[in-house]
Amino acid sequence: MAKTTTPQKAAAARQRGVTMSDVAQHAGVSRTAVSFVLSNRENASISEETRIRINDAVQALGYRPNAGARALASQRSDWYGLVTEIVTAPFAVDIIKGAQDQAWLDRRFLLIAPSDQADAVGPNQGLEDAAVEKLLEQRVEGLLYAATFHRGVHVPESAHEVPTVLINCFDADGKLPSIVPDERAGGRVAVERLLQAGHSRIGVINLDPRIPAAVGRLEGAREALAGAGLELDPDLVVSGYATADGGYEAACEILDRHPKNQRPTALFCLNDRMAMGAYDAIKERGLTIPGDIAVIGFDNQELIAAYLRPKLTTVALPFEKMGALGVQTLAALTAGQPITADQQLVDCPLLERSSV
Amino acid sequence: MAKTTTPQKAAAARQRGVTMSDVAQHAGVSRTAVSFVLSNRENASISEETRIRINDAVQALGYRPNAGARALASQRSDWYGLVTEIVTAPFAVDIIKGAQDQAWLDRRFLLIAPSDQADAVGPNQGLEDAAVEKLLEQRVEGLLYAATFHRGVHVPESAHEVPTVLINCFDADGKLPSIVPDERAGGRVAVERLLQAGHSRIGVINLDPRIPAAVGRLEGAREALAGAGLELDPDLVVSGYATADGGYEAACEILDRHPKNQRPTALFCLNDRMAMGAYDAIKERGLTIPGDIAVIGFDNQELIAAYLRPKLTTVALPFEKMGALGVQTLAALTAGQPITADQQLVDCPLLERSSV
DNA sequence: CGTCTCAAGTAACGCGAGTTACCTGCAGCA
DNA sequence: TGCTGCAGGTAACTCGCGTTACTTGAGACG
């Protein structure tokens, strides 16, 4: 914080763009010397005295390196590209946060390009060609692709020109490394929590059974039950739309289908929005949470989970961590690590609140 | 879509970096000619024939311009910097979306730099120096600063070196242009809607009365009432924390404070989270929405408003529009329009759902 | 037939840096 | 004295592209 620059001087100078040559002239040395000092060159022989003179000149003139010129000369850009539909469909924003923070730590820049393929199906699903093309024009050293929900995607050819890592989705063609949530472990931990609370009749409000999240979470639920010597009762599993209304309807069905004494005492909702609807169904019937019926969700959508009454116990999707891990993985790849199609599973931690 | 490049060839070539010179050589012309064709130069005299030859060469080699080099040579970068805490505190994400989309349309790139000043108070509130510095090193042509909630911010010196526009906040020093929601009009439209539905005893669940949002929205509410010859009853205004719990408590107070016949028949909640809590308070008392009590919110936080039962009628904060407008304003400034400290107000539209 | 003009294109410089190869002078050593 | 070696630098080339000034050849015109 030892800036001795007078703001006026510095500002005025910057307007016209202070270059290394200006600094060199001011310090009475060659531009090369300045370059050596600024890039902290190991084996450069610059006396302590001139090093100081140069640094002083930098301060005095308010010199600021030109990142573009540096990239051009050094053939390295310090930039990663992030293609994502998250900007378009604001869910899983924490992926961006995690990636941003990690990139910032690594002194790299994230160029974010929007993709609007969230709901696309068919040949063009996945990365958007135009976005990738634009990013490659910026000479990004690597690409990240982040999806709003866990699924398989197709990646365009050009993305293979630089190291690429998928976040919250995986390569349908099985060539690229990816970072995805460990849905199965998450489902297991959720149901284990319910078992631990003494529940044995557990209802499940399922998602569309074809998506990876549903498959994994349900599988995990089965494992947990099996661990307690129980089986998943098909009568207690109802699928619905992934919305509050869907959850409401599914919960109504589960609750009304059975006589009181065979009714489940706990509901595992495969996402928080459905849990939100389930709350309504339960309350409407004069039942209490968690007294009469315990509820556990999945996703940890803060706006819902933290604001429902009672607050919702849920399994969190590790968005931020996945984002950070994506950047770290990409860093390793750009540093020369061989590219494999590994799928890294990230833990989904249980968030205890008040609904169990 | 008439790409005739064979993927293999193009990809291989790109690896080593196809330059303009390569294209020139392939087409049998000078590099200058290629440059002229690619930049669509008005007064360049290039015959149709060679123009085609050059374009063919571009396709054949899979040439991709180097954005950095272009910026260096032309002294213009096509980049805007967006400094924001939204990445850190994912609210108002639609500002980013709006800005992104607009920038994309304008063929400009948005460099997003995180700031974590959301809750900072004091001298360092506002833009983060480091983020701005980093962006200026990238030679962005302008800066945007976006806040998660409407407030005054302080901007560091260096941000004044390039055109800067504030989104969802305003310059506490009164020097920079800004884009903010028209809170007052929003408050007015909300209460007018309630009046129109026949309500005359309207309760208000207020935010911290010191923040601009509260001031504006309440002012608007007063205007609407005045328009109907009514006044705001201080007994019907309760402030609370901007959370569901805060709204719950405030609603309880308003509802229980008065005998049944003097109880308000409608609640204007100054944000949706508080409305969420108010719902609970109302339902707990065996009252229905909107039958017994109408509720109107503010913010249009989709996850809440669209999933509450009944769905919440609310006034939307025009995040996306503000983002787009920010980029447009910045474009005008970088194009040479004089910089003024204008504060542009953006309309907050009413979103009719089912709670009124 | 000589000159002028214009279409069509090219050579060469500069943008702001990184990087390599080279230069200079002084100390040490035989 | 003459040679070597090294600390302390510098000149010059390069990155990929925009841009200005200049060249060349062919047709028009008097």
Side-chain angles (χ1 to χ4, degrees):
Chain A
M1 285 302 146
K3 279 194 184 174
T4 50
T5 324
T6 69
Q8 303 85 339
K9 190 173 186 178
R14 280 171 190 167
Q15 288 292 358
R16 294 198 223 98
V18 179
T19 75
M20 264 194 173
S21 302
D22 299 329
V23 174
Q25 193 172 352
H26 187 98
V29 297
S30 73
R31 199 180 54 65
T32 308
V34 178
S35 177
F36 283 175
V37 168
L38 290 188
S39 52
N40 244 328
R41 228 159 182 271
E42 298 277 325
N43 51 353
S45 50
I46 304 282
S47 72
E48 197 50 30
E49 185 194 349
T50 64
R51 181 184 305 276
I52 291 178
R53 263 220 320 289
I54 290 176
N55 279 324
D56 286 351
V58 166
Q59 295 295 326
L61 297 180
Y63 168 74
R64 177 154 44 216
N66 181 319
R70 171 178 293 173
L72 180 56
S74 67
Q75 300 285 73
R76 311 183 312 100
S77 72
D78 294 347
W79 293 335
Y80 291 151
L82 171 60
V83 181
T84 181
E85 65 209 19
I86 295 175
V87 174
T88 313
F91 181 66
V93 197
D94 285 336
I95 292 180
I96 300 184
K97 169 168 165 47
Q100 274 277 13
D101 287 354
Q102 185 63 45
W104 198 255
L105 280 180
D106 296 355
R107 328 211 123 228
R108 298 181 156 279
F109 239 101
L110 223 51
L111 296 184
I112 302 181
S115 145
D116 52 4
Q117 301 293 332
D119 304 307
V121 184
N124 266 332
Q125 182 190 5
L127 293 181
E128 267 205 24
D129 289 38
V132 173
E133 202 62 22
K134 262 293 184 196
L135 290 173
L136 290 177
E137 284 186 9
Q138 310 293 334
R139 295 302 187 267
V140 294
E141 296 191 335
L143 282 175
L144 295 165
Y145 177 60
T148 54
F149 69 96
H150 187 172
R151 66 176 194 276
V153 298
H154 288 282
V155 172
E157 269 307 309
S158 40
H160 292 277
E161 295 177 31
V162 294
T164 297
V165 174
L166 306 186
I167 302 176
N168 203 30
C169 54
F170 55 90
D171 184 6
D173 303 323
K175 293 180 191 157
L176 297 173
S178 55
I179 319 267
V180 294
D182 190 343
E183 313 276 9
R184 195 155 54 116
R188 198 187 319 127
V189 96
V191 171
E192 277 169 355
R193 177 68 186 83
L194 293 176
L195 289 168
Q196 175 204 330
H199 301 278
S200 55
R201 278 193 71 70
I202 298 175
V204 176
I205 299 189
N206 197 12
L207 293 162
D208 178 333
R210 290 166 302 180
I211 67 176
V215 174
R217 294 171 196 178
L218 210 58
E219 172 90 9
R222 274 204 195 85
E223 285 181 17
L225 288 169
L230 299 171
E231 278 200 10
L232 187 61
D233 181 349
D235 263 13
L236 292 181
V237 180
V238 175
S239 298
Y241 287 108
T243 62
D245 279 339
Y248 174 79
E249 284 161 20
C252 289
E253 196 177 328
I254 292 189
L255 294 176
D256 297 341
R257 179 187 278 172
H258 308 274
K260 252 181 189 162
N261 56 341
Q262 286 177 34
R263 198 166 54 192
T265 61
L267 288 180
F268 173 27
C269 303
L270 264 66
N271 82 25
D272 289 352
R273 279 182 292 177
M274 298 174 89
M276 188 174 179
Y279 264 50
D280 275 335
I282 294 170
K283 289 180 180 173
E284 260 184 31
R285 282 160 182 70
L287 302 172
T288 63
I289 305 171
D292 297 315
I293 306 220
V295 177
I296 197 163
F298 211 113
D299 283 5
N300 188 35
Q301 279 192 271
E302 288 284 344
L303 274 181
I304 294 176
Y307 292 124
L308 280 176
R309 305 170 48 79
K311 299 192 199 315
L312 179 66
T313 293
T314 191
V315 177
L317 282 172
F319 289 131
E320 194 169 336
K321 195 165 177 187
M322 290 195 291
L325 198 53
V327 170
Q328 287 171 345
T329 305
L330 190 51
L333 295 183
T334 55
Q337 194 183 90
I339 297 181
T340 64
D342 291 343
Q343 184 160 325
Q344 290 183 68
L345 296 179
V346 183
D347 227 46
C348 301
L350 176 70
L351 258 78
E352 297 273 5
R353 290 205 180 87
S354 323
S355 65
V356 174
Chain B
M1 287 299 146
K3 280 195 184 174
T4 51
T5 323
T6 68
Q8 305 84 338
K9 189 172 185 179
R14 279 172 193 167
Q15 288 294 358
R16 294 198 223 99
V18 178
T19 76
M20 265 194 172
S21 301
D22 298 330
V23 174
Q25 193 172 352
H26 187 99
V29 297
S30 72
R31 199 182 51 69
T32 309
V34 177
S35 175
F36 283 174
V37 167
L38 289 187
S39 53
N40 246 326
R41 231 161 179 268
E42 298 276 324
N43 51 353
S45 48
I46 304 281
S47 72
E48 196 51 30
E49 187 195 347
T50 66
R51 180 183 306 277
I52 291 177
R53 260 220 323 288
I54 290 176
N55 280 324
D56 286 352
V58 166
Q59 295 295 327
L61 297 181
Y63 168 73
R64 179 156 41 217
N66 181 319
R70 171 179 293 171
L72 180 57
S74 67
Q75 300 285 76
R76 312 181 314 99
S77 71
D78 294 346
W79 293 337
Y80 292 150
L82 171 60
V83 181
T84 181
E85 66 208 19
I86 295 175
V87 174
T88 314
F91 181 67
V93 195
D94 286 336
I95 293 180
I96 300 185
K97 169 169 165 47
Q100 272 278 11
D101 286 354
Q102 185 63 45
W104 199 254
L105 281 180
D106 297 356
R107 327 211 122 229
R108 297 178 157 282
F109 239 101
L110 224 50
L111 296 184
I112 303 181
S115 144
D116 51 5
Q117 301 292 332
D119 302 308
V121 184
N124 265 333
Q125 182 190 6
L127 294 181
E128 267 205 24
D129 289 39
V132 172
E133 201 63 20
K134 261 293 183 193
L135 290 174
L136 289 177
E137 283 186 9
Q138 310 292 332
R139 295 303 188 266
V140 294
E141 297 192 335
L143 282 175
L144 295 165
Y145 178 61
T148 53
F149 69 96
H150 187 172
R151 68 177 193 273
V153 298
H154 288 283
V155 172
E157 270 306 310
S158 41
H160 292 277
E161 294 176 33
V162 295
T164 298
V165 175
L166 305 186
I167 302 176
N168 203 30
C169 53
F170 54 90
D171 184 6
D173 305 321
K175 293 180 191 158
L176 297 173
S178 56
I179 320 267
V180 295
D182 191 342
E183 313 275 11
R184 194 154 56 117
R188 198 187 318 127
V189 96
V191 171
E192 277 170 354
R193 177 67 186 84
L194 293 176
L195 290 168
Q196 176 205 327
H199 300 280
S200 55
R201 278 192 71 69
I202 298 176
V204 175
I205 299 188
N206 197 12
L207 293 162
D208 179 333
R210 290 166 302 180
I211 66 176
V215 174
R217 293 172 196 178
L218 211 57
E219 173 90 10
R222 276 206 193 83
E223 284 182 18
L225 288 169
L230 298 172
E231 279 199 7
L232 187 60
D233 180 350
D235 265 12
L236 292 181
V237 180
V238 176
S239 298
Y241 288 109
T243 63
D245 280 340
Y248 174 79
E249 284 161 20
C252 288
E253 195 176 329
I254 292 188
L255 293 176
D256 297 341
R257 179 187 280 171
H258 308 274
K260 253 182 187 159
N261 57 341
Q262 284 175 37
R263 198 166 56 193
T265 61
L267 289 181
F268 173 27
C269 304
L270 263 66
N271 82 22
D272 290 352
R273 280 181 293 176
M274 299 175 88
M276 189 174 178
Y279 264 50
D280 276 335
I282 294 170
K283 290 179 180 173
E284 260 184 30
R285 282 160 183 71
L287 303 171
T288 63
I289 307 170
D292 298 316
I293 305 219
V295 177
I296 196 163
F298 210 112
D299 283 4
N300 189 36
Q301 279 192 270
E302 287 285 343
L303 274 180
I304 295 175
Y307 292 122
L308 280 175
R309 305 170 46 80
K311 299 190 198 318
L312 179 66
T313 293
T314 190
V315 178
L317 281 173
F319 289 132
E320 193 168 337
K321 195 167 178 185
M322 290 195 291
L325 198 53
V327 170
Q328 287 171 345
T329 305
L330 190 52
L333 295 183
T334 56
Q337 194 184 87
I339 297 180
T340 64
D342 291 342
Q343 184 159 327
Q344 289 184 68
L345 296 179
V346 183
D347 227 44
C348 301
L350 177 70
L351 257 78
E352 297 272 6
R353 290 204 180 87
S354 323
S355 65
V356 174

